[in-house]
RNA sequence: GUCCCCGUAGCUCAGCUGGAUAGAGCGACUGCCUCCUAAGCAGUAGGCCGCCCGUUCGAAUCGGGCCGGGGACGCCA
């Protein structure tokens, strides 16, 4: 609908330019048509005349008038045009055009608003927490954000793989194994101390208790590797369980280890060498990233001969390209943002389309107790887990918490406040609207009000401002979805849903108290159709951000 | 010290590629349930959009500089 209006105005603007200043024609970009902020400004507004005023050297209001005169509207899309303020062109649509939209929603049902992008093979890597402890709030933000982005991309037409990358080698895991061994030995009454910088969390004691129960003292003298494996297994199980509660599933769990086992790290290194960007200094092997425009050079192999984390990271992302993904998205915390350009530059040097590799950065969630800011640390056991919060507020509220703000804003998390907030969380307003809509449809069934074919509904009966307001909001759903997907910003959908829910509540609760079902059969049917379109859209949008759409509350 | 993110209502945050009177949720205050769910609705109060320059017909939005908060700058994953 908006596209239609845009096209008509574009053509009119072109005619005007041709008339006044033909040489400026190629400088005329796409003109802007946006939904009007207020009903008095019509349905859509364009600032075309203001934009053209400069290049054409004419007053904007004059240009607006000429554009208006040049409008050709053979299909009768536009009811009338007004020129307002400094030169805004306000478009009032013919009501019948809105009816087409409702018909479309009723026809497309849960697929309304889908598509819009040419399907690409996309991989989204998110969470990627190493199995050293339970998922914390920070991981939770990552998880919810990544999952919502996937859902959005799927809706707009992409084929998406969800991937979780982890590393169970390295010093970190050794410390974990040694920490568990100490806890296990303590369980069996032995004097044992956690290693320095060991993992202090209670969860390791729990694992140790289970281990003591199952194994007795059989592992008393086992070395740390067995404990590492035991810890990893138990922790991963918990991580998956936590993700399960949030209804987050992965297609692939990728272990960094396989990059070594399959020789990818090695071949990546030799291919990098072949680019001539590798050199040796101080006994280490370096990558000349400074030459690629970055801050400094980076070490690939330490003087000990071991790779740094950068090398497998490059190998991993190369594998992603090799696996045929056309677009690769990493959801990362701010601690990885510095690292990312180096991986990208290396891939570019290896001949891969580095621009198709993209990162979504989210900011830390600060943990606050009262006024005191607590530093989150898995090792020091200073964290709030996703499970704790979900226990308190439920998965839907948790997801909404993480999705209602932009990923790149910092925010403070206070569990007490979260509990308080869960009572009156905006997510309920959306869900409640959905439940009320379902309720209306149930009553319709009781009263045997049925919807005929959409084309046979007399939508012209929908005339109140609240009804038009609802339809206009519905019209914005597809573009909201598409924009949110392209910008990787699920919060746009969350906010859209809140606005749509509010418009609905207002429709049935404000002083006009619209009754959907009444003695007026024709009106009842029209309103029922509208209400169903709202329900479809709300349910659809909730699904896109992974929040349930209850039929009763 | 260098780089990145953020600074909008009491609190938490929106504000899309600059556009007409700056919005929402929570909190505060006032009203509203014989009615398809009051987890709702209607209304009131509350803002030098961190500060200063600049670009523009027009800046919360773009550019520069300051101030404040967070993060990153290793042969640590």
């Amino acid at each position: 609908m908006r596209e239609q209006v845009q096209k008509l105005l574009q053509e009119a603007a072109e005619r005007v330019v041709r008339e006044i200043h033909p040489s400026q024609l190629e400088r005329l970009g796409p003109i802007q048509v946006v939904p009007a902020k207020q009903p008095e400004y019509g349905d859509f507004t364009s600032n075309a005349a203001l934009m053209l005023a400069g290049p054409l050297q004419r007053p904007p209001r004059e240009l607006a008038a000429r554009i208006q005169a040049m409008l050709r509207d053979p299909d009768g899309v536009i009811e009338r045009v007004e020129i307002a303020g400094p030169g805004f062109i306000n478009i009032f649509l013919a009501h019948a055009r809105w009816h087409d939209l409702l018909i479309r929603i009723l026809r497309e049902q849960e697929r309304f608003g889908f598509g819009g992008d040419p399907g690409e093979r996309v991989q989204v890597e998110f969470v990627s927490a190493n199995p050293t402890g339970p998922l914390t709030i920070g991981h939770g933000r990552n998880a919810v954000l990544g999952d919502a982005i996937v859902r959005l991309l799927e809706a707009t037409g992409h084929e998406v793989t969800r991937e979780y990358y982890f590393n169970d080698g390295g010093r970190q895991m050794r410390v974990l194994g040694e920490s568990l061994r100490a806890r296990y030995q303590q369980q069996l009454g032995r004097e044992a101390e956690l290693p320095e910088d060991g993992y202090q969390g209670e969860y390791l004691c729990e694992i140790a208790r289970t281990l003591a129960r199952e194994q007795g003292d059989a592992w008393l003298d086992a070395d740390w590797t067995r404990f590492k494996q035991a810890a990893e297994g138990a922790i991963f199980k918990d991580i998956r369980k936590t993700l399960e509660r949030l209804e987050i599933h992965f297609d692939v769990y990728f272990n960094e280890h396989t990059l070594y086992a399959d020789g990818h790290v090695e071949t990546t290194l030799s291919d990098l060498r072949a680019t001539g960007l590798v050199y040796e200094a101080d006994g280490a092997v370096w990558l000349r990233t400074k030459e690629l425009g970055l801050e400094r050079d980076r070490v690939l192999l330490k003087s000990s001969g071991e790779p740094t984390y950068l090398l497998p990271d490059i190998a991993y992302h190369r594998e992603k390209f090799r696996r045929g993904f056309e677009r690769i998205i990493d959801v990362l915390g701010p601690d990885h943002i510095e690292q990312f350009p180096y991986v990208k530059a290396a891939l570019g040097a290896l001949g891969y389309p580095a621009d198709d590799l993209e990162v979504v950065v989210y900011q830390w969630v600060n943990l606050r107790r009262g006024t005191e800011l607590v530093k989150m640390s898995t090792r020091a056991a200073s964290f709030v887990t996703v499970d704790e919060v979900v226990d308190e507020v439920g998965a839907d509220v948790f997801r909404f918490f993480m999705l209602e703000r932009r990923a790149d804003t910092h925010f403070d998390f206070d569990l007490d406040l979260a509990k308080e907030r869960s009572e009156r969380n905006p997510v309920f307003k959306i869900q409640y609207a959905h439940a009320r809509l379902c309720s209306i449809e149930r009553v319709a069934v009781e009263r045997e009000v049925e919807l005929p074919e959409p084309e046979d509904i007399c939508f012209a009966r929908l005339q109140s401002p609240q009804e038009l307001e609802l339809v206009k909001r519905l019209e914005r759903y597809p573009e909201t979805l598409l924009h949110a997907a392209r910008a990787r910003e699920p919060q746009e959908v969350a906010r859209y849903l809140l606005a749509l829910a509010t418009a609905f509540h207002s429709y049935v609760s404000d002083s006009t108290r619209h009754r959907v079902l009444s003695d007026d059969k024709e009106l009842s049917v029209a309103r029922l159709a509208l209400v169903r379109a709202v329900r479809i859209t709300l349910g659809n949008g909730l699904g896109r951000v992974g929040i349930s759409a209850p039929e009763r509350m």
Side-chain angles (χ1 to χ4, degrees), chain A residues 112-165:
Chain A
F112 170 58
F114 280 24
D117 268 338
E120 285 184 320
R121 292 197 59 203
V122 184
Q123 186 216 45
V124 179
E125 181 208 324
F126 60 113
V127 185
S128 295
N130 286 337
T132 59
L135 292 183
T136 65
I137 297 295
H139 300 129
R141 189 175 199 180
N142 187 319
V144 170
L145 181 64
D147 182 65
I149 288 172
V150 171
R151 288 168 189 258
L152 288 172
L153 291 172
E154 284 173 342
T156 55
H158 302 285
E159 186 192 321
V160 190
T161 296
R162 302 157 195 249
E163 188 149 322
Y164 186 126
Y165 178 69

Side-chain angles (χ1 to χ4, degrees), chain A residues 51 96 108 171 175 216 249 283 370 374 505:
Chain A
M51 301 295 287
E108 295 183 359
R171 208 185 68 90
V175 173
H249 310 273
V374 183
H505 284 305

Side-chain angles (χ1 to χ4, degrees), chain A residues 330-545:
Chain A
D330 289 3
V331 181
L332 300 175
D335 51 338
H336 287 81
I337 187 61
E338 203 272 342
Q339 163 81 355
F340 192 77
Y342 292 89
V343 174
K344 214 170 149 164
L347 284 163
L350 289 170
Y352 293 93
D355 285 343
D356 298 339
L357 173 58
E358 126 188 19
V359 62
V360 173
V361 180
Y362 65 94
Q363 288 295 333
W364 289 141
V365 179
N366 293 319
L367 173 58
R368 198 177 273 285
R369 291 192 178 118
T371 54
E372 187 197 357
L373 202 61
V374 183
K375 181 84 181 161
M376 284 259 202
S377 158
T378 301
R379 201 164 295 201
S382 162
F383 52 77
V384 172
T385 65
V386 172
D387 279 330
E388 283 175 71
V389 182
V390 174
D391 286 345
E392 289 293 340
V393 304
D396 287 335
V397 170
F398 182 80
R399 287 191 72 120
F400 201 80
F401 252 117
M402 294 301 174
L403 287 178
E404 66 180 327
R405 1 172 123 62
R406 292 172 55 105
D408 59 6
T409 57
H410 304 271
F411 83 93
D412 294 348
F413 192 92
D414 186 322
L415 189 58
D416 295 335
L417 195 67
K419 285 185 223 171
E420 254 177 63
R421 283 281 194 76
S422 74
E423 315 276 321
R424 297 189 72 76
N425 191 286
V427 74
F428 292 132
K429 190 162 172 174
I430 304 169
Q431 294 182 312
Y432 181 53
H434 188 268
R436 285 180 90 176
L437 285 155
C438 290
S439 171
I440 293 172
E441 297 213 42
R442 283 193 295 269
V443 174
V445 171
E446 274 170 33
R447 299 192 194 167
E448 297 177 347
V449 181
E450 284 169 25
L451 286 189
E453 288 298 302
E455 287 77 6
D456 298 331
I457 297 168
C458 184
F459 290 113
R461 297 295 304 276
L462 302 175
Q463 288 290 345
S464 76
Q466 289 86 349
E467 284 164 342
L468 285 177
E469 161 74 12
L470 272 175
V471 182
K472 286 186 199 175
R473 284 211 183 274
L474 293 174
E475 198 266 342
R476 299 202 62 180
Y477 179 68
E479 68 190 74
T480 301
L481 203 55
L482 193 59
H483 190 270
R486 287 178 177 166
R488 329 293 187 217
E489 293 197 352
Q491 45 94 13
E492 291 179 6
V493 175
R495 287 176 182 280
Y496 171 85
L497 291 172
L498 189 58
L500 179 60
T502 300
F504 163 72
H505 284 305
S506 183
Y507 174 53
V508 292
S509 314
D510 74 2
S511 57
T512 59
R513 297 249 170 131
H514 290 79
R515 306 295 296 173
V516 173
L517 306 168
S518 65
D519 294 339
D520 185 335
K521 189 78 191 242
E522 193 181 57
L523 181 62
S524 299
V525 166
R527 286 183 171 169
L528 185 60
L530 171 63
V531 150
R532 180 168 297 177
V534 175
R535 191 209 79 210
I536 288 167
T537 306
L538 272 184
N540 181 325
L542 283 167
R544 288 320 91 209
V545 289

Side-chain angles (χ1 to χ4, degrees), chain A residues 203-246:
Chain A
Y203 61 94
L204 272 188
C205 301
E206 269 182 54
I207 298 171
R209 276 194 287 276
T210 310
L211 214 53
R213 201 165 48 241
E214 288 171 359
Q215 300 295 335
D217 58 5
W219 284 25
L220 256 186
D221 297 307
D223 78 343
W224 63 271
T225 53
R226 291 181 69 175
F227 289 97
K228 187 216 90 170
Q229 270 179 0
E232 180 185 342
I235 291 169
F236 240 124
K237 210 173 130 197
D238 281 347
I239 287 177
R240 287 187 197 231
K241 213 155 73 190
T242 303
L243 292 170
E244 193 73 29
R245 295 179 77 185
L246 294 171

